[in-house]
Amino acid sequence: MVSTVSLLIISNLFMTFAWYGHLRNLADRPLWMVVLISWGIAFFEYCFQVPGNRIGATQFTLPQLKILQEVITLSVFCVFAAYYMGIKLTWNYLWAGLCLIGAVFFIFRDGPVG
């Protein structure tokens, strides 16, 4: 489980920068250039995401793996938004996080694979 989560966290760091980092760093660059740079960053995302999901598929059901991925994605995004983009986190982030905890509870209620 640790390797799956670690790989997915690293993958999401790359993904978040590929999807949103250009809004801060490359806003004045031509769109075609930003797309190419984002694709280059996304390559590294896939280098971690594909093995993470492949390993995870041996430990979790597909729905469990997807919910785990979403929790990691939103957790990484919140840290990125607050510290890199300077977005002020509000109480709504807490409520959304509680909803995610509910999603994790319900999807893992049946237990892992095997």
Side-chain angles (χ1 to χ4, degrees), residues 1 5 9 23 25 28 34 53 60-61 68 74 94 102 110:
M1 181 171 137
V5 171
I9 288 171
L23 298 174
N25 297 340
D28 59 338
V34 174
N53 280 335
F60 305 106
T61 66
L68 181 63
L74 292 172
L94 173 65
D110 294 333

Side-chain angles (χ1 to χ4, degrees), residues 26-89:
L26 303 171
D28 59 338
R29 306 291 179 159
L31 185 56
W32 66 268
M33 183 183 296
V34 174
V35 169
L36 290 177
I37 291 169
S38 292
W39 278 354
I41 296 169
F43 168 78
F44 295 102
E45 172 208 346
Y46 278 86
C47 289
F48 291 96
Q49 178 266 332
V50 171
N53 280 335
R54 187 165 286 201
I55 294 167
T58 66
Q59 302 166 330
F60 305 106
T61 66
L62 188 60
Q64 288 172 339
L65 188 58
K66 181 60 180 170
I67 292 295
L68 181 63
Q69 171 67 32
E70 293 302 327
V71 169
I72 291 169
T73 297
L74 292 172
S75 299
V76 167
F77 180 79
C78 283
V79 172
F80 171 84
Y83 291 102
Y84 189 76
M85 298 297 282
I87 303 294
K88 182 179 181 282
L89 300 180

Side-chain angles (χ1 to χ4, degrees), residues 88-103:
K88 182 179 181 282
L89 300 180
T90 65
W91 282 103
N92 288 336
Y93 289 86
L94 173 65
W95 307 134
L98 291 175
C99 290
L100 288 172
I101 291 169

